[in-house]
Structures are given as structure tokens and as C-alpha cells.
Amino acid sequence: MAPKTNGIGVQVEGTRICVVMVGLPARGKSYIAQKAQRYLKWLSIPAATFNVGNYRRHDSPSPSADFFDTNNPVGERKRRAAAEAAVQDMLRWFRAGGVVGILDATNSTKERRKWVIDRVRDEGVEVIFVESKCDDEALIMANIRDVKTTSPDYKGQDPEEAAQDFRNRIRNYEKVYKTINADGDEDDLTYLKIMNVGKQVIINRIQDYLQSRIVYYLMNLHIRPRSVWLSRHGESMLNLEGRIGGDADLSYRGDEYARKLPQLVLDSVGSDRPLTVWTSTLKRTINTARHLPPHYNQLQWKALDELDAGVCDGMTYQEISDMYPEDFQARDEDKYNYRYRGGESYRDVVIRLEPIIMELERSEDILIISHQAVIRCIYAYFMQKTQEESPWVPVPLHTLMKLTPRAYGTEVQTYKANIKAVSTWRGKGSTAKHEDPAPEGGV
Amino acid sequence: MANNSYSTAEIAANAPRYRRKSSTFIDGIHDVPEQGSMAPAQLYSTMSGRLFHSGRIAIAMVGLPARGKTHICVSMARYLQWLGVKTRIFHLGDYRRATVGEGGQVPQDYFYPNASPASVMLRQKILKKCREDIYAWLNHENGQVAIYDAVNPTASGRRSLAKEFAKHDVQTLFLESYVDNEDILKENARNVKISSPDFHGMDPDEAASHYLKRIEEKIPVFETMQEEELNYVKMINAGQAFFYNNVSFNYLSHRIVFYLTNLHIKHRTTFFVRAGPATDEDSYKADAPLSEEGRAYAVKMTETLLRHRDQERQAVIDEGGPDLPLRPLTVWTSTRLRTIETGEPLKEMGYKVRQRSQMSQINPGVCEKLSERAIRSLYPEEVERHELDPYHHRYPRAESYHDLAVRLEPIILELEREQNDLLIIAHESVLRVLYSYLMHCNTRDIPKLKFPRDEIIEIIPASYQNEAKRIHIPGLDPSTIPGSPEDIRIPVPGPPSGQLSPIPGMSSPATAEGSESIFTVRPPEKVVNKAKEMVADKVADED
């Protein structure tokens, strides 16, 4: 079997982990599951989510609340069958080389948790429970309206009715729900319990490094609604010449973008609530941020600096392909892993961005003004792009992107400043020139 | 060697800006870092010197003696400093000792909630002195994380402490080590306090019970943390569980918790050895197997190591210690053939051997197979830049030591997590970085550390600072002993000093001590650690 290693060095050593979600509906379980999966895949760890609800939906597409009453034998039997089907698929996936499987269901009783442990441990897979516990009624209703009424169960139904039905469905679960180790007899389980969106956290019996890493990541998550805005710097003097890297000033058009950016951001945010602005330490991003309102807090991160092109810094693609023809080709073949002479690869950039991702996860509204390769890596994280795709994502100049993480994925909106700029995109295997990306490849 | 003659207490009380420097063979965790130096795994630097966009933080320890607080403080400081966060520990006990003077005692009621006015005054005076040092360091020396090591037994005391720090624009994170498991308590008491003359000649178990009882008498009131409005982490039974009350904390505190989930306070040692010589040592890419000498080396190293472990155990028994079985030994190698094959004899004997791909040697890039002269003539500018900063500079397509340190970070967390004794069989470049974490070396010195093949390095953790021991492997072919030929062959520049090698008085044995018979069995050598005397009273003291 291929060694299970990835660039950031999380070596998993044959440990396989089943992350079992626990908690009542509308506690952000799917969100947490989906985030964990995204993060692990970004770090090149094979991860997948098995949502019991999806298996159940297959049989009973739009059930009413009493389907979820534990006294309803038909509903109970169908839900058990769905859990069984999900677990079976997950185990099959583990046998095929999966490393972290996430079982997304309420798992709200001791008996059910015991059942999962028995099923999974037999296969030599470790179990860690992740519980989200919340008793803040306002937070719960907000989550229901935001997420559940758009859930496939309520397709085409009146939202208010849907919300009410959903609240009733939860009541059926509340009757049998037992938080982990409520009676003190689950103390030997490995678990993470997050209470009221991270106000209190209990971590119990972490067994290995990968588990500690997952826990660490989940502790940085929050489920308050927020967005992340991404923009490249305005066009630079070196962009005009088609040169990569460097630390140049903005061009005339780049400065025009900087002056237009505040309005673009305002239009996108929709209010004057302040964003926190993160730039790199290079002039072109700092200058792009300089016209933003003074009540926006601004921070400079070394980790947001452009991919270091080493000896090729400041060269055009043509010069690179003339001077280092083999390198130029090698980079096209495996752009993610290719490291410039004396510089960095995309993999290196992902490694140094990891603290940024952690910080992003725990922050609220952030506007990042950075560089092409760095934005690609951050974009890949939010959009679950593979290592083959991410280094080729077109990120045009003079465009603001708004990413909004939701329970079922990340929404993207783009705002064009309509200020002309050179293209800095080059297709795979193409000539050593910047070109316009194919229309369907647009972000 | 520690080249100072002060005691910690005197230093702490009288000279806030003291400069202390240990040799690389003594854990440098308590050294004052040099201005402007980058830490081994620091990802970036900032003007203010503070990282992770966190402000200034005081981590206030909470917990009775024998709860492993000092060990936690020191380990945490080691990790944070490795990441580049400017961290310093302030042991309140140092200030107490300095205030009451040599051989002095605090009044009996010093820790009592209803202490006499005189005791309260004394307490206030000592606290004030310590806090002033913390502020001075944060304000004038760009400090970021001050670890305040004290008992902090009461909720009211903790509330006012947080308020007091907040006034000075310092956030407070409390870190309680809570232990209700009797076995862990006794183990801690045994490990740390047994050197006290009070318990001389006593049965270790009895001494531990006595000691724990004395704590209860001395500090009768202790309230475990429950303050909802404070930021705190409660570490329960040495990391079995954590409770985290998060009011307003940030990335850095999560990172600390992440580290702590991997920390434990069980005693164990780490051994470092080089891989044996390979058939084609010149090539990084070739991944050659061990040569014949290499296989002979693997056998001799294994014999020496196992003999040493038996001797150590016997020595403990002879000194009246408990007759415990040897701790299990785990072996880590890289995924390179010569390290795997070096571990082969141990594997055949049934020891658990794990391959860690992150432990591959430093990538020499374009310098692979090049002689020093060739490198100098082909890359004169690179050589120049390398000489300015041998730790951070990377040759074309190569890795710098900094790259290597960042790559090894997960290994470091797993090293902390490991509970068995651990043998690491690796390349010299990897040993340099791992050693520098455990012994806290300056980045300038790391590329210069030497690990001759005829020695096993043993790192023995202690709560105040780690110690290293070198164990001679007798009877090796002298040609196999010197430094790693697969490294970049430019000698690291800089003035020669006693800090070049972790082995004092010994650089490369093949040249410097070539005349000495290699068949002489040198006894295991423990470096005399003056710092230990300096902390002897600290260890015996109830805080």
C-alpha cells in the first residue's frame, strides 16, 4: 500500500479514525463534519462523510415529524436501516484505503454509540466522538431557518411551516438524547464535546496524534455566520511587464482598483460593518488596501506573501522557459509539488498557510488581499479543489471574491471592478505567455 | 557548561536582564535568547516581536505541588520558543526564596487564607516583585508569553490576578493541572521530590505519602477552577481529559492546548543514534542499503544500547530504588534504507520499529555529490548567502535547516506523546534539529552540531531541564565514525567554540582523537550540570 503521508507531514501510520458526530439536529453537526473533511483533504488525508440522513431520505424522502418519534416502529426501523447502510458503506470505504471517515448522524443515545463502537472497532478503526451541544434557543432557531428549511426534506414547502415541523422533529430526539458521559459511564470513550459554540470544551482520552490534530482544528471552528473576501492586489508594474514575483508598486490601473475597492467591498458587505483586512508584507497588497475605511483593522502577514519563485523571481515566463527549460516543463507536469530553484512549491505554500487557515476559521469577517498562488491555495481549501486543480485556478486581477461557508458547501460570489488589467494566467502545457483563461474556467 | 555562579533565585531577584548561556550539552531552555534571533520553526517575524496576532499573554499556572506544573511550564515554553513565540517562565518560588534569603523559611501560615498580617504583607511583597519583572519583560524586551508558575490556590486570588494583568494590557489564560489519581500523585512526588534530604533513607512510597501530606498541611485551601468569567484550561490527570472554558481566547491558546493534548508527565528517555554507513553514501537520491561495516555497526549499536539499559536499571536497584521492569522501547527510523536496516537487529528481537517519512535527511538539492570546491565555484553567491545565515539559507532545490525543522514539527509533537523509551535512528541533519528542540539550542549552532557514529545520545527529561548523556559504542571501524557525508559539504562557518559539538572536549573523534584506541570502552558520561545544583533547592521546595 502506498505510504499515507502528505506534505504537511501528518503521517497517519495505518491509524484509521471514525469521527462519530453526536448531537441533536440543528447543532451544526453537518457543518462540522463537512469542515473537518475539507481540512483533512486539504492536508492530503483521505477523508469522507457518511450522512445517515441521506440514506434515510433515499427511502423516505419527505417524512413528517412523527416519523422521528421513537415510539413509531416503522420510522424507528427505517432509521436503523439507514444507519446500518451508512456504516456498511463507511467500512467498505475504510477497507479501500480510507483514513478518516465521518459518520454524520445524531447518535444521541448511549445504545447507539455503543453499537457504532462495536461495529467500527471490529475493523480495527479507532473511534472519536464529536458532540455539539447547544441549549441557546435563539441559536438553534437561527440555525434551523438558515440551514434546515433549505434541506432536501423540505423541498417546496412553506419555510415557516418547515421550521416548525423541524422544531417538532427535534423534540422527538430530545426525549431520548443523552449527552456523552452524562451518567459517568462513558468516561473510557475518546470524545470532544463542544458546548454552546465553543464556550466550553471537553476533550477526553485523545489516543494519538491525528486525533489531537482533528480536535485542535475543530476547536478553532465556530458556527457564527460569516464570509471571507479574497482579492488579489491591484495590477503591479511587474504584472505589466509579465514578470512574476518581485516587490513592485501598483500600476496606474492597479491604483485605480485600490481606489475602487472600498465601494466594491461596501456593495458586497451591504452595510458599513467593519471587516478585518489581512495583507501580505509586499507593497502591492498594502497599497491595494490603503484606501479602505480607517475603521477597518489592517494586519500584515508574512505567510500571505506570494509563492517564492527562487531564482526565477522577477523573470517572465519566456525568460524562465529559455533559461530553465526543464524546470518549466517539470512545473507543468506537477505544478503542486514543483519547487522553484531556491524557492517554494504550492505544497510549501499550503504548509505555511495552515496557521492562516486556523486563524480564518476562528475569525469572523475577513478580507484577504494577497497574491495569485496564495489565493489559489486558500480558495482550494474553501472550495475543496484537488491538488491537480488548485494551482491552475484562474484568479483574475481587479476582482473581489466573497466566500460564504454554509452547511452544505461554500457559496461564491464575484464582483468585478471593471478596470482593465493584464492577464496573469497561463494554461497547462501552453506557451510561455500569459493568456486569457477559457471562459468555462472562470472563477 | 553553565558559566555562571549565581543561583536562579539571586538572578531572579536582583538582575532582571541577566544573560545566562549553557553549552549545547545542557538544556538551554532557561537561557535568555539573543536579540533578533529566529527560532528553529518560526514561520515569520513581526516588528513587535509578537506572533499569531495575539497580544501579550500571561499563562498563570494553577495547582498544588506535585501536579507536574513545572514540567508543563518548561515543556510549553520549549514548544512556544521553538515556534518563535517569545516566552519566559517566572517561578514565584524563586522570588520567595530570594526574599526570605538563604536558608530562610516562609512563615507557617504563609499559604493560609486567614494568614497573619505579616504573612500577607510578605506574600504581597513577593507577588509584586514577580509581577513587576513580568511587566518589565513584556514592555521592554518584546516578550509575548509570560508563564507565571505559582500555586494560585483560590478563586478570589485568581480573579484579582486576571484583573491586575488586564490593567497592564495583558490577557490571562489560567492553566490548571488537576490530579485526583493517587498513582499519578505518588509518581510525581517520587520523581521530583525524592532528592530532598528530609526524606533520605525513607522508602520511596512512604516518602511520597509524607510529602503529599505535608503539602496538604501547608496549603490547606485549594479551590479547583470553576470561574465562568475567566479563560482557563483544566488539564485533568496529566492529560487524560481537558476542560476548556473559553471566554475570549485565540489561536495561540488553542495551539497551546493542542500541544498539551500531546504532552504527558510519565518519565521516559529518548536515544539518538546515526544510521550506519551505506554502500553509496554520496547520493541523496540513490537511497543505498547499508555496507558491510554498516551492518556490523547496527549489531554493535544494538548490543551497546541494550547493555546500557540493563546497567541503568541495575544501578537504580543497587541504589535502593524499586525493582521495576524495563520500560518498553520503541524505535523510529526514517523511510530511507540505511536507517531501516540499522534498526533491523532490534526489529528481529521483537522491538517495535516505525518508519517516519518526515525524518528523511535534509535535501541537498543541487549540492548533491558535489565537493566543497565544486560548490564554491558553481554557486559562489549562494555560498556567500549561506555563510551569512546557515540555518535559514537554502541552496537551489535544497532544504534549509529551517525547512527541516518545520517539516519535523509533527514528529516533535509525537515525540512528546510517546510513552515508551524511544530510539531514533536518523541522519545527522535530522538529529541536529530534534536534539535542538529537546536541548534548546540556538539556531546558529544547530547546523554545527556533531553526532559521531560511535556514540548513543540519551536525553533524560527532568522537570526543570533536560539532560543529555553520551554512551560510547566500542569497537567500531574508525572510518565509519565521522560526520555525515550526505550533507552539503560546505563547512558551516563561524568561530569555533565549545558549543560546536554536543560533546564537550570532543569534536570529530576520527581526527581529533584518532590515537585513542577505539576498543577502549568509555563509561557512559553524564555532563556535569551545574544548573542542577542551582535548582536543587527548587526541587525540594513546596511550590
Side-chain angles (χ1 to χ4, degrees):
Chain A
M1 198 157 71
K4 288 176 193 145
T5 307
N6 63 66
I8 198 146
V10 183
Q11 190 177 19
V12 289
E13 298 276 349
T15 42
R16 293 174 303 164
I17 298 176
C18 176
V19 177
V20 182
M21 303 304 302
V22 175
L24 293 169
R27 263 65 177 185
K29 285 191 308 299
S30 293
Y31 180 77
I32 293 171
Q34 177 251 116
K35 291 295 268 197
Q37 179 188 328
R38 173 201 314 281
Y39 171 71
L40 292 163
K41 286 178 102 166
W42 193 62
L43 295 177
S44 312
I45 296 173
T49 304
F50 299 85
N51 181 307
V52 173
N54 288 343
Y55 287 84
R56 189 262 310 146
R57 238 161 252 139
H58 189 74
D59 273 358
S60 320
S62 294
S64 62
D66 61 344
F67 176 87
F68 296 93
D69 189 332
T70 40
N71 296 322
N72 176 344
V74 179
E76 182 67 9
R77 203 176 61 240
K78 281 193 170 167
R79 284 183 298 120
R80 263 191 171 281
E84 177 61 40
V87 167
Q88 267 179 23
D89 271 6
M90 183 173 67
L91 293 176
R92 210 170 294 132
W93 176 81
F94 272 124
R95 281 177 218 126
V99 175
V100 181
I102 303 167
L103 185 66
D104 183 11
T106 54
N107 298 308
S108 55
T109 63
K110 273 197 272 189
E111 293 69 32
R112 177 55 65 90
R113 294 194 281 268
K114 174 91 177 37
W115 175 79
V116 174
I117 291 174
D118 290 345
R119 288 300 316 267
V120 172
R121 280 208 186 137
D122 275 354
E123 297 274 332
V125 176
E126 296 169 13
V127 180
I128 174 170
F129 290 93
V130 174
E131 176 170 357
S132 174
K133 187 169 179 272
C134 177
D135 41 31
D136 181 334
E137 192 67 23
L139 261 174
I140 296 167
M141 279 317 278
N143 194 17
I144 291 177
R145 281 196 201 91
D146 190 38
V147 183
K148 297 298 172 181
T149 54
T150 58
S151 141
D153 278 359
Y154 294 105
K155 221 171 161 185
Q157 295 187 23
D158 172 60
E160 207 38 52
E161 236 170 72
Q164 215 40 59
D165 182 84
F166 198 81
R167 190 70 193 87
N168 291 335
R169 189 196 287 190
I170 296 176
R171 291 221 163 79
N172 282 318
Y173 280 100
E174 280 168 357
K175 283 188 250 167
V176 294
Y177 172 62
K178 264 268 161 76
T179 181
I180 296 178
N181 206 21
D183 305 334
D185 57 355
E186 290 178 294
D187 188 47
D188 57 335
L189 302 185
T190 295
Y191 67 85
L192 166 70
K193 192 189 288 196
I194 302 172
M195 288 166 283
N196 288 326
V197 208
K199 282 242 166 56
Q200 282 97 30
V201 177
I202 297 174
I203 303 167
N204 197 55
R205 294 188 193 270
I206 297 299
Q207 303 296 329
D208 65 28
Y209 177 69
L210 186 56
Q211 290 182 354
S212 76
R213 187 133 196 152
I214 294 170
V215 164
Y216 170 53
Y217 172 74
L218 294 180
M219 280 172 62
N220 279 297
L221 288 184
H222 65 79
I223 55 174
R224 296 181 295 277
R226 57 80 176 269
S227 298
V228 175
W229 284 264
L230 302 177
S231 170
R232 288 179 65 191
H233 53 82
E235 184 187 71
S236 77
M237 297 306 282
L238 284 184
N239 287 148
L240 284 179
E241 298 169 27
R243 295 183 185 278
I244 64 171
D247 188 11
D249 286 316
L250 294 179
S251 71
Y252 178 80
R253 293 188 302 200
D255 192 55
E256 205 181 331
Y257 176 68
R259 274 180 276 120
K260 193 158 180 186
L261 187 60
Q263 189 58 45
L264 214 55
V265 171
L266 193 66
D267 291 346
S268 171
V269 176
S271 72
D272 62 355
R273 107 185 112 102
L275 306 184
T276 300
V277 184
W278 295 352
T279 66
S280 74
T281 62
L282 298 171
K283 278 189 281 188
R284 55 193 186 276
T285 63
I286 296 167
N287 287 341
T288 303
R290 72 179 157 192
H291 299 292
L292 289 165
H295 66 288
Y296 284 22
N297 196 10
Q298 294 200 12
L299 301 169
Q300 291 167 20
W301 287 80
K302 184 82 187 148
L304 288 173
D305 280 3
E306 179 60 311
L307 183 145
D308 179 359
V311 293
C312 299
D313 189 69
M315 293 167 83
T316 64
Y317 282 134
Q318 189 59 53
E319 286 166 354
I320 297 170
S321 89
D322 290 348
M323 286 186 71
Y324 306 101
E326 287 161 34
D327 284 75
F328 193 73
Q329 206 193 337
R331 187 161 196 257
D332 264 13
E333 273 158 21
D334 187 359
K335 197 173 176 186
Y336 190 79
N337 290 303
Y338 172 81
R339 176 181 279 159
Y340 274 111
R341 289 171 185 249
E344 288 179 303
S345 65
Y346 271 84
R347 189 183 285 284
D348 294 338
V349 173
V350 165
I351 292 171
R352 77 160 140 97
L353 282 176
E354 211 233 335
I356 294 272
I357 293 296
M358 286 288 179
E359 188 70 18
L360 259 183
E361 285 301 349
R362 53 157 295 269
S363 306
E364 284 171 39
D365 294 331
I366 304 282
L367 164 60
I368 295 177
I369 301 176
S370 182
H371 307 265
Q372 180 162 262
V374 174
I375 301 261
R376 276 174 178 157
C377 293
I378 297 173
Y379 182 82
Y381 169 74
F382 281 106
M383 303 306 289
Q384 281 209 54
K385 293 284 172 198
T386 63
Q387 293 176 4
E388 289 77 37
E389 294 170 292
S390 62
W392 301 99
V393 170
V395 186
L397 284 166
H398 300 176
T399 306
L400 178 70
M401 235 189 291
K402 178 187 181 188
L403 305 182
T404 309
R406 298 238 181 256
Y408 292 103
T410 305
E411 278 173 19
V412 187
Q413 279 168 283
T414 53
Y415 304 84
K416 291 204 172 296
N418 296 319
I419 297 168
K420 278 216 159 97
V422 293
S423 165
T424 55
W425 189 83
R426 193 184 68 80
K428 187 170 182 169
S430 67
T431 52
K433 269 183 9 202
H434 285 123
E435 55 192 287
D436 283 321
E440 67 271 19
V443 174
Chain B
M1 293 316 94
N3 51 9
N4 67 80
S5 54
Y6 308 107
S7 74
T8 316
E10 279 172 276
I11 292 162
N14 304 321
R17 286 159 181 273
Y18 71 100
R19 202 157 270 278
R20 187 149 55 84
K21 199 81 195 81
S22 309
S23 87
T24 45
F25 210 52
I26 289 172
D27 187 357
I29 187 65
H30 300 285
D31 287 355
V32 178
E34 318 237 336
Q35 283 295 327
S37 62
M38 288 267 279
Q42 186 167 344
L43 287 175
Y44 61 100
S45 58
T46 61
M47 286 296 283
S48 68
R50 298 188 188 106
L51 299 185
F52 301 116
H53 294 284
S54 292
R56 303 180 310 171
I57 296 170
I59 299 177
M61 302 301 297
V62 175
L64 289 168
R67 267 66 179 176
K69 289 198 305 298
T70 303
H71 175 70
I72 294 167
C73 286
V74 169
S75 305
M76 194 160 54
R78 186 186 303 287
Y79 179 65
L80 291 173
Q81 290 185 10
W82 164 271
L83 291 176
V85 177
K86 293 199 173 61
T87 307
R88 189 143 140 199
I89 308 171
F90 297 82
H91 300 284
L92 188 60
D94 289 344
Y95 292 84
R96 189 158 63 240
R97 275 186 296 278
T99 308
V100 299
E102 193 78 30
Q105 288 265 323
V106 294
Q108 181 62 37
D109 66 349
Y110 184 79
F111 286 104
Y112 290 7
N114 56 346
S116 67
S119 291
V120 173
M121 289 272 283
L122 178 65
R123 219 154 59 188
Q124 297 296 349
K125 187 179 157 197
I126 292 167
L127 274 172
K128 185 159 176 270
K129 180 87 192 125
C130 181
R131 277 201 308 259
E132 277 168 1
D133 268 10
I134 292 177
Y135 300 141
W137 178 72
L138 292 171
N139 291 335
H140 305 302
E141 297 183 50
N142 273 348
Q144 183 168 13
V145 175
I147 301 176
Y148 175 60
D149 182 16
V151 178
N152 290 315
T154 65
S156 63
R158 294 188 291 255
R159 286 197 179 96
S160 51
L161 184 68
K163 225 177 261 171
E164 165 71 29
F165 279 137
K167 253 191 261 166
H168 288 80
D169 199 21
V170 177
Q171 285 180 289
T172 310
L173 169 66
F174 289 92
L175 176 55
E176 176 176 353
S177 177
Y178 176 84
V179 180
D180 62 2
N181 179 319
E182 284 294 322
D183 295 340
I184 298 175
L185 278 178
K186 285 206 167 152
E187 171 83 12
N188 283 352
R190 259 203 303 267
N191 272 344
V192 190
K193 314 291 177 180
I194 230 63
S195 56
S196 165
D198 291 8
F199 304 115
H200 193 73
M202 224 184 249
D203 167 70
D205 265 347
E206 200 187 324
S209 307
H210 259 274
Y211 176 75
L212 292 172
K213 203 147 168 220
R214 219 164 79 177
I215 293 169
E216 269 177 44
E217 284 162 10
K218 211 162 174 187
I219 312 175
V221 174
F222 178 83
E223 298 158 0
T224 186
M225 288 207 74
Q226 284 178 321
E227 297 90 309
E228 271 176 30
E229 75 281 19
L230 299 180
N231 285 300
Y232 67 88
V233 176
K234 196 187 289 196
M235 187 174 180
I236 299 159
N237 288 330
Q240 179 198 305
F242 289 85
F243 183 84
Y244 191 74
N245 191 58
N246 177 25
V247 183
S248 60
F249 248 77
N250 58 20
Y251 179 68
L252 192 57
S253 67
H254 292 313
R255 186 122 195 169
I256 291 167
V257 174
F258 175 43
Y259 177 76
L260 292 177
T261 54
N262 284 296
L263 194 68
H264 64 83
I265 53 179
K266 299 215 174 81
H267 185 81
R268 64 154 195 89
T269 59
T270 307
F271 298 97
F272 289 144
V273 296
R274 290 263 306 280
T279 51
D280 178 6
E281 284 223 74
D282 273 8
S283 179
Y284 169 78
K285 289 180 189 126
D287 194 14
L290 284 185
S291 63
E292 209 167 296
E293 295 81 38
R295 279 194 294 277
Y297 162 81
V299 171
K300 290 206 173 95
M301 182 276 289
T302 304
E303 285 167 6
T304 308
L305 178 75
L306 298 180
R307 193 176 340 114
H308 171 75
R309 278 166 50 86
D310 283 337
Q311 283 168 355
E312 292 279 283
R313 174 171 171 265
Q314 195 55 49
V316 171
I317 296 168
D318 292 348
E319 281 170 26
D323 184 359
L324 299 169
L326 276 174
R327 281 185 297 274
L329 177 74
T330 300
V331 183
W332 290 358
T333 69
S334 77
T335 45
R336 296 256 150 185
L337 265 182
R338 61 182 172 284
T339 65
I340 297 169
E341 292 184 1
T342 306
E344 206 57 48
L346 283 162
K347 192 174 181 187
E348 277 163 18
M349 295 167 79
Y351 289 92
K352 193 171 148 201
V353 181
R354 293 171 69 187
Q355 295 174 23
R356 325 301 315 252
S357 68
Q358 302 100 316
M359 294 199 332
S360 299
Q361 78 263 39
I362 198 164
N363 185 338
V366 296
C367 298
E368 183 178 12
K369 289 186 161 197
L370 293 184
S371 68
E372 180 182 345
R373 216 174 62 183
I375 299 172
R376 285 191 190 279
S377 72
L378 283 168
Y379 306 102
E381 287 165 24
E382 297 288 347
V383 171
E384 212 170 284
R385 275 195 274 164
H386 190 78
E387 291 183 346
L388 285 175
D389 188 355
Y391 186 81
H392 293 98
H393 172 262
R394 89 167 53 99
Y395 279 99
R397 317 308 290 278
E399 276 178 306
S400 65
Y401 274 94
H402 179 248
D403 293 334
L404 185 56
V406 172
R407 158 153 76 83
L408 284 169
E409 205 223 325
I411 288 286
I412 278 169
L413 283 160
E414 289 203 62
L415 194 120
E416 290 293 354
R417 168 162 285 282
E418 186 63 51
Q419 306 219 352
N420 296 343
D421 279 357
L422 185 62
L423 169 67
I424 293 181
I425 302 174
H427 315 267
E428 197 169 28
S429 49
V430 171
L431 295 184
R432 286 182 180 125
V433 173
L434 294 177
Y435 182 89
S436 77
Y437 166 73
L438 288 171
M439 300 303 281
H440 199 81
C441 305
N442 192 298
T443 49
R444 271 192 343 227
D445 298 330
I446 294 170
K448 299 188 249 183
L449 297 174
K450 288 198 175 75
F451 294 88
R453 271 211 185 88
D454 66 343
E455 287 184 335
I456 300 170
I457 305 288
E458 179 179 15
I459 314 270
I460 304 145
S463 65
Y464 195 73
Q465 63 187 162
N466 293 341
E467 281 170 30
K469 200 186 253 189
R470 55 194 175 125
I471 300 133
H472 178 58
I473 306 173
L476 292 182
D477 180 341
S479 67
T480 63
I481 294 171
S484 181
E486 77 261 16
D487 276 0
I488 295 162
R489 286 177 205 167
I490 296 260
V492 179
S497 78
Q499 295 172 11
L500 286 194
S501 158
I503 319 302
M506 201 182 101
S507 49
S508 175
T511 55
E513 295 181 28
S515 56
E516 189 189 322
S517 166
I518 49 149
F519 294 100
T520 315
V521 179
R522 296 201 295 265
E525 186 176 343
K526 193 161 168 179
V527 172
V528 184
N529 189 347
K530 276 198 194 155
K532 202 182 170 196
E533 289 147 33
M534 179 167 100
V535 299
D537 70 327
K538 151 95 202 135
V539 166
D541 189 273
E542 271 97 71
D543 67 348

